[in-house]
Amino acid sequence: MRAGPLLVITVLFILLVLSLTAGVSVGAAPIPFATVWSIVANKVRPDTFDVVWSSGQESIVWDVRFPRAILAALVGAGLAISGATLQALTRNPLADPHLLGVSSGAAFGAILALVHTGLILGLLTVPLFSFAGALSATGVVALVAHLTRSHSADRMVLAGVAVAFVFTALGNLLIFLGDPRATNTVVFWMLGGLGLAQWSHLIYPAVVLAGCLSILMLKARELNALAMGDETAATLGIAVTRFRLLLFVVTALVTGVMVAFSGAIGFIGLMVPHFVRLLAGGDNVRVIPLSAAVGTLTLIWADIVARKIMTPQDMPIGIVTGLAGGIAFILILRKN
């Protein structure tokens, strides 16, 4: 491996460790960095360090903040790679899971599970309903594009915007018709939050992220060809329609699962790929893994800000990402 990529990987790993440490340490009850990793080490291998901390500190670190920080890392990476893929797939710099209706469909499915059906399938109910909603929204976008002959990337984005409005309206209708006692929970969930993170839940977004990221990295060169135009991709032997369908399904899967566990968090999928391309160029072989890494760091720090800005209450993380992302996007527009 060349020195450049090795250096980048090393720097990103160090930043990830420092960010996770800060995510676990910072909060209404600050805990020293050394104590954080001593508790983690003792959980992984008992009696590694002498116990000089309270049981309350141990519970905060291991049961509350550490799984929350890991969930932030997984969700940030998932939304970022979804946005990077959709932007290349549609050849539109504004494309992201929200703009194309994927997030709205995922939110619709999750609201249906939370308000109307209950956990009929156990812990998998919300993720499965959320994925089904995301996949349904993706299918409707494809159908609308086909019926209206919107085969160009720009017109497909317009179809996605229309579908997003429809699914958002249907989700609001479900909230209106549902039990008023569940409204506060659903509204907080729609604004994005990581407060319900649990160790037992993390396996689902982790497995989905690993699988989808692997597929997207393997298909990155083909995605480069598709980003140059359907004709160019076809001349290189790519089955354009099948390949586009595969990528839509992958992005729907990763978005649906992430939204199910974190709620609707905006601007990560839109902003992170732009920031990565400013630093690393437009080659998706680099953009996709770097988007995952930067998305991870971004959402961890957004969660830290969300927890500190209104201590001891948690501000919905979607508010933080929306404000920061909107300002950053304006600055990028002004620069380029």
Side-chain angles (χ1 to χ4, degrees):
M1 183 177 287
R2 300 191 304 274
L6 182 61
L7 178 61
V8 171
I9 292 173
T10 302
V11 170
L12 288 174
F13 179 76
I14 292 172
L15 288 175
L16 175 60
V17 172
L18 291 175
S19 299
L20 284 173
T21 305
V24 178
S25 175
V26 175
I31 298 175
F33 284 11
T35 302
V36 167
W37 287 110
S38 296
I39 292 172
V40 172
N42 269 20
K43 286 292 183 179
V44 175
R45 187 174 181 180
D47 301 324
T48 302
F49 294 97
D50 293 332
V51 177
V52 294
W53 53 84
S54 67
S55 58
Q57 287 179 314
E58 182 172 321
S59 178
I60 290 172
V61 168
W62 188 253
D63 297 326
V64 179
R65 292 184 186 170
F66 203 30
R68 178 174 178 146
I70 294 177
L71 180 60
L74 295 173
V75 172
L79 295 178
I81 63 173
S82 180
T85 302
L86 289 172
Q87 287 167 14
L89 185 62
T90 62
R91 300 189 295 278
N92 189 308
L94 294 178
D96 79 333
H98 289 275
L99 191 66
L100 291 179
V102 181
S103 289
S104 299
F108 171 80
I111 293 169
L112 180 63
L114 289 169
V115 179
H116 291 277
T117 69
L119 301 181
I120 57 175
L121 301 175
L123 294 177
L124 289 175
T125 304
V126 175
L128 287 175
F129 274 63
S130 182
F131 169 59
L135 196 58
S136 299
T138 303
V140 173
V141 170
L143 179 62
V144 170
H146 175 72
L147 293 177
T148 59
R149 299 177 183 177
S150 303
H151 301 299
S152 68
D154 289 340
R155 288 180 65 84
M156 184 171 288
V157 170
L158 292 177
V161 171
V163 171
F165 276 114
V166 170
F167 273 92
T168 298
L170 291 175
N172 291 335
L173 178 62
L174 290 180
I175 294 174
F176 177 75
L177 296 176
D179 187 346
R181 291 173 295 182
T183 301
N184 289 337
T185 302
V186 173
V187 169
F188 188 86
W189 177 87
M190 289 179 67
L191 295 175
L194 304 167
L196 300 179
Q198 299 179 29
W199 284 112
S200 59
H201 295 172
L202 294 180
I203 184 64
Y204 305 114
V207 169
V208 169
L209 175 63
C212 292
L213 180 58
S214 299
I215 293 172
L216 294 177
M217 290 179 65
L218 289 173
K219 300 294 184 180
R221 296 190 185 280
E222 297 174 57
L223 185 58
N224 285 340
L226 190 63
M228 297 172 65
D230 291 0
E231 296 80 5
T232 302
T235 58
L236 294 174
I238 299 172
V240 174
T241 303
R242 186 184 304 171
F243 183 61
R244 182 176 281 120
L245 178 62
L246 170 66
L247 294 188
F248 270 128
V249 171
V250 170
T251 54
L253 174 59
V254 70
T255 301
V257 172
M258 299 308 161
V259 168
F261 287 98
S262 68
I265 297 176
F267 271 96
I268 298 295
L270 176 63
M271 283 306 307
V272 168
H274 282 291
F275 180 73
V276 169
R277 291 189 188 99
L278 286 175
L279 299 178
D283 186 356
N284 287 295
V285 174
R286 296 192 300 269
V287 169
I288 289 175
L290 285 176
S291 293
V294 176
T296 290
L297 300 175
T298 301
L299 200 57
I300 289 175
W301 283 100
D303 183 50
I304 292 173
V305 173
R307 284 187 283 126
K308 286 296 293 181
I309 201 168
M310 294 181 64
T311 303
Q313 293 182 332
D314 286 356
M315 175 183 287
I317 195 170
I319 296 176
V320 176
T321 58
L323 288 172
I327 294 171
F329 196 67
I330 292 171
L331 294 177
I332 289 178
L333 285 175
R334 182 182 179 186
K335 182 177 180 181
N336 185 12

